[in-house]
Structure formats: structure tokens, C-alpha cells
Amino acid sequence: MIYDKVANFPYPIFSLKSNSYKNNEFLFNLRLNADNDDYIFKVECNIESEFIKNLLEEGKAKLVLIIQATDNQSITLDYPIIKDIKISKSRMSLEKRPKFQLIILSNEEINFENNKELNEFYDEYKSNISVSKYALLGFSNVEIFDSRIVNPNELFAKKKITTLKTPIKITLGPDTIVINYKDNNVLFDDLGKKELNYLYFYMGIEQALERFIRTYSDKINDEVILDNMEIPDDILDTKLYNLMINKGIKTLDYDNLDEVINTITNNMLPKFSNAIRELYSDEN
Amino acid sequence: MGEDTQKSKPDKKGNKNKTPKNFVANPERVERVIINDHEYVSFDFTGTSKLKNINNFDLGIHILDGDGKEEKEPLVINENYNVVTDNLTKKNCVIEDNKIKEISIKNNKAAIDINLKREYNHYLKFIYYIEV
């Protein structure tokens, strides 16, 4: 299984989603190649914990690549990783949005007494902590391959509909926020300053994030804890999710909506207002 | 139908003052360990606004199953835990409505020490629900 909904384990877990280890970075990424019959994945990973690295090097633990597509597969990797991973195209379809994750499993009983990298909470307990063979010791971030998500920044589409009842109507499509417009005049494409359209983009993102909150919040507080949610099935929501995660945003609610938009759009509104100011000063 | 759900915006502020408040503790804020027949859990709420000026909270415990999904039924506390001690007050916590009641918070931190029943499954993964 893929660990994307995080929980509290009864022992220390090495993962960015846990603070058990003081240095908890366990990142991996995949680079995809293909030949006629196979997908070829180049796996890269960074394990910040010396304790974990030693276990892997000594063979007391193993690194496993989990692939969740139509079925689940797990492939034990050498450590350090040397070989690329080949997966037959007949076994996996990128259309099915496969998810990938690296996990670390114990090969024998592991004691934490000599683990100097745990946080202070474990100081008084760690000499007594041990986990059995095949226990999960750590997990990485999750990577998704989606042939439809070519560029996560392609968040917007513009569509002219002359029969529209209003000058602008924003709709949320399957993979983009659509700015529907009645007439070329309402957009600023002819002025050569794309930033002038940012106001519409802002409105669009706001709508999309409000729907995001309604869909994924815990309903009681209207708050989404991003680390805690599963990766959405919806493509547009996945793009928003990735944008937020990549910018280090932890929670989304109605109160921090504007801050989140500002962060994920790299200050879109100031760019809009600067463009107006430039036009104004050009005129004069 | 999609149109409808998009348009019916919730009232942004009016919703929020309802009591009680209930939220999932981000696992990064919780440390948990089992040693023999004891389980130790500590919470650090530093930096969250939800528990400002609040002295205690109630705790519900939900289980994540083998497929990574949250089970419908929460952990039945009375069937698994003998005694829950509040580490700050050293008093035993009341267990009521399947919640551990009034765990005290000091300097944004809280901790409990649980004496486990013999039949308790030591491999469960939990999601903690905080109610204030």
C-alpha cells in the first residue's frame, strides 16, 4: 500500500510526515524513460538518517519501491540504488495514474537504543523500543505519473462563448480553471500585457480552492490539512494539491485563502497592479 | 448537480463558532510509543491557533486499516486501555463517550501515559481527534 494518509505509528517513523527523527528528509524522485515494451524508471533518493542508511547498508533493512496502479507491485531495490527499474507496459498504464513510493522495511528485529537521531521524546524510551521483522521503518513522498498532467502550471484555459449571459464566467473543468468570456474586449490579450488577465485568474483560483475546501475539509472546521489528505482523484484538484505541497503549505481554510493564492501564484496580484501602473505611466 | 455544489457557498464565518470544535491532530504534532504494557503519547500544539486560551481537550482515537483507510468505528477505549494518566496533573483521566476527557495543556504541550490491557493490538496505527 501507499502511505499518503499519515497516522501515528506506535514507534518512531522516518518520514517527512513525522517528526520522530530530527532530520526527517526522505525524498525520492523518478525519471521516466521508455522503450518499445517497457517503462524505464531512474530512481533517485535522499535519505538523511545515518541510522537508516546503516541498516540498509548492513542488510538489516531493505528499500522497496511500491507501485500502485491497477494492481499493487513492490520491487526490492539495491542500496545504494544502481540499476534502473524496468516495468513492462503491459503491466502498467500511465493512464491509470500510477503512484510510486519508497518504503524501508526491517529484515530482522531492530532496536532503537543506538539511534541518536530521534527527537527528545524518545530519550527515556528508546533503549526499550524494538520492532519486529518486516516492520515499516520509513516512507518517502509519493510520486504520481499522469500523462494528462504534463505541466502542473497549466492551470488555466480561456474559452470564448459569444452566447454567454455575463461578460466573464469562471467554470472548473476536469483539469483546468476555465475563464469563459463573451467578447475579446474583456480580456487584455491585445494589449500585450498578460498580467492584466491575472485578476480573472485570481478569481478562478479562489473558486477552485473554495471547492477544494468544501470537498476535502473535515466539514467541522472547513479546514484541509494537506499532509493528512489523500491525493485527489480529480486532475484539477491534484494540480492545486501539488502546487500547495510544493510551496510548503500545510493547511487550507477560508481564512488563509488569500495567503495561499498569493503563495502558489508567486504574487500574482502585485504583478497585475504593476502592469496597470506601467500602462498608466506609458500613457503619460 | 456540480453547478449547485459550486454555487452554494458556506457562510464563511458563521459556521465557525459552533461548539464543540473537533479536529484531527496533525501526526507531526504527536509522538507515540509502546513499551511493554504502556503506551506514551505526547502532543505539541505550538504554533496552532485552534487551542489558544484552552486548558484541556478531549481525545478520540481512530484506526488506520491495512489499506491506509480510516476505519469507520473508532478504537473502543475501555476495551483496550486500563488506565489513562495525565502526565501534567498525574491524575487519571475520565473515559466517557469513548473519549479520554479533559487532558490538560500547558505551554501548548500535553502528554498521557496509558496502561494497556493484555488483549490490546500493539501494531495499530492511529489518527487522533482533538475536541475542545
Side-chain angles (χ1 to χ4, degrees), chain B residues 40-99:
Chain B
Y40 305 92
V41 189
S42 88
F43 301 85
D44 186 345
F45 299 112
T46 309
T48 139
S49 56
K50 292 190 205 84
L51 292 164
K52 248 183 199 159
N53 306 321
I54 283 167
N55 301 323
N56 63 62
F57 64 93
D58 298 343
L59 187 69
I61 303 172
H62 289 240
I63 304 163
L64 205 69
D65 70 16
D67 294 322
K69 302 273 180 243
E70 194 174 326
E71 286 184 8
K72 273 193 190 129
E73 299 300 322
L75 180 83
V76 181
I77 294 173
N78 274 328
E79 288 177 8
N80 291 285
Y81 291 172
N82 274 324
V83 182
V84 180
T85 309
D86 185 327
N87 274 2
L88 286 173
T89 61
K90 301 292 172 201
K91 287 183 184 150
N92 292 343
C93 297
V94 174
I95 292 167
E96 199 179 276
D97 300 331
N98 202 29
K99 292 187 187 84

Side-chain angles (χ1 to χ4, degrees), chain A residues 28-39:
Chain A
F28 106 111
N29 71 71
L30 281 174
R31 273 186 287 166
L32 174 65
N33 281 303
D35 59 23
N36 282 341
D37 303 317
D38 300 305
Y39 291 115

Side-chain angles (χ1 to χ4, degrees), chain B residues 5-22:
Chain B
T5 45
Q6 274 181 35
K7 277 178 186 165
S8 60
K9 291 183 185 174
D11 54 338
K12 296 184 182 182
K13 297 276 172 286
N15 250 338
K16 294 210 142 183
N17 297 327
K18 279 183 190 164
T19 51
K21 275 216 266 183
N22 197 331

